[in-house]
Amino acid sequence: MTPVLSVENLTFSYGNSPALEGVTFQVGEKRRLFILGENGSGKSTLLKLISGILSPSRGKVLFRGRDVKEIPRRDMARKIVLGTGNLACDFPVTVEEFVSLGRFPHRGLFSSLTRKDREAVDEALSLLGISSLRGRRVTDLSDGEKQKVSLAKMVAQDGEVYLFDEPGAHLDLRSRVEVFRLISSLTERGKTVVVTSHDIGSTLAHAQDVLLLKGGKVVS
């Protein structure tokens, strides 16, 4: 069976500064891969390469056997969802309006939300336990609430692969536990998940596979 994601000899540099070198691994259907590594090990860069935001110096990333560079950006957004979990929005839109932005890849530029779009937004709000916040302005939320709203937008996007960059950062213990439970539930719904994390405890509790990066190279 073809893996959902295949990373083959991936190498990338920022100018003369190497960030990743010869990284190779695969992620199967409905699996949770956690990537551990200290700051500067290349974790965030790796997610950007997988999502197609960055292009490798050498090597390639395959989504179901197809090079991500050959997949149109709009199609990629329907398949691979990348997010930090941190909400960066200075506009006073409501929570529901912000989460509905996750449906953009599935509809036209100026088209209205369809019934399916609204159902996806409702499901995402319910899954994160924030349906009661739908009418609140995102600028009025706490840091923990903003984190959940950002994750709800990712869920509403309804991709096949979810890439989370340090999703537990800046959260209290209770919120962090809730976020990692959500991540685990995504694989139960048929999704494939890749997570970068410093949280060894959450990794041990929720990871099915673990990749350790150091200095841009796979250690284990």
Side-chain angles (χ1 to χ4, degrees):
M1 182 180 294
T2 302
V4 177
L5 287 175
S6 296
V7 174
E8 301 180 359
N9 195 33
L10 208 60
T11 299
F12 181 83
S13 298
Y14 292 103
N16 295 322
S17 301
L20 293 170
E21 184 178 346
V23 173
T24 298
F25 63 91
Q26 295 180 339
V27 190
E29 195 91 38
K30 303 178 186 179
R31 298 295 292 180
R32 292 188 299 275
L33 170 68
F34 277 57
I35 301 173
L36 292 177
E38 58 192 12
N39 288 336
S41 61
K43 301 190 304 298
S44 297
T45 298
L46 178 54
L47 294 192
K48 291 176 182 177
L49 288 163
I50 292 173
S51 67
I53 291 177
L54 296 177
S55 296
S57 306
R58 293 197 309 274
K60 56 187 175 181
V61 178
L62 305 178
F63 172 77
R64 299 193 183 279
R66 185 180 178 187
D67 195 322
V68 298
K69 293 189 297 184
E70 299 174 355
I71 303 176
R73 291 300 306 162
R74 191 181 182 91
D75 290 344
M76 276 290 291
R78 293 171 181 161
K79 303 176 187 302
I80 299 180
V81 183
L82 170 65
T84 63
N86 296 318
L87 187 153
C89 180
D90 297 326
F91 298 99
V93 297
T94 67
V95 167
E96 184 174 11
E97 289 170 337
F98 183 83
V99 173
S100 70
L101 294 176
R103 299 302 300 169
F104 176 74
H106 300 276
R107 56 194 180 94
L109 182 59
F110 299 107
S111 61
S112 301
L113 292 174
T114 65
R115 179 178 178 179
K116 184 176 181 180
D117 293 329
R118 296 188 184 281
E119 288 175 349
V121 171
D122 289 343
E123 183 179 3
L125 292 171
S126 177
L127 189 62
L128 270 294
I130 55 174
S131 296
S132 62
L133 300 179
R134 67 191 312 143
R136 293 269 303 277
R137 296 183 186 275
V138 296
T139 50
D140 297 334
L141 302 178
S142 68
D143 288 343
E145 289 169 336
K146 288 180 179 178
Q147 185 92 321
K148 291 180 181 180
V149 170
S150 183
L151 292 172
K153 174 177 170 288
M154 293 177 65
V155 171
Q157 196 166 330
D158 194 27
E160 296 181 49
V161 175
Y162 281 81
L163 309 176
F164 294 93
D165 196 7
E166 300 287 353
H170 313 301
L171 290 181
D172 59 36
L173 179 59
R174 179 176 178 177
S175 296
R176 190 160 62 247
V177 169
E178 290 175 348
V179 165
F180 280 104
R181 283 178 178 169
L182 163 70
I183 289 171
S184 292
S185 73
L186 288 174
T187 54
E188 296 167 5
R189 300 170 68 213
K191 312 299 184 181
T192 295
V193 175
V194 180
V195 184
T196 66
S197 179
H198 285 104
D199 189 338
I200 295 177
S202 295
T203 298
L204 293 175
H206 297 283
Q208 294 171 314
D209 307 295
V210 180
L211 183 146
L212 180 61
L213 279 179
K214 184 175 182 180
K217 298 179 180 181
V218 176
V219 176
S220 177

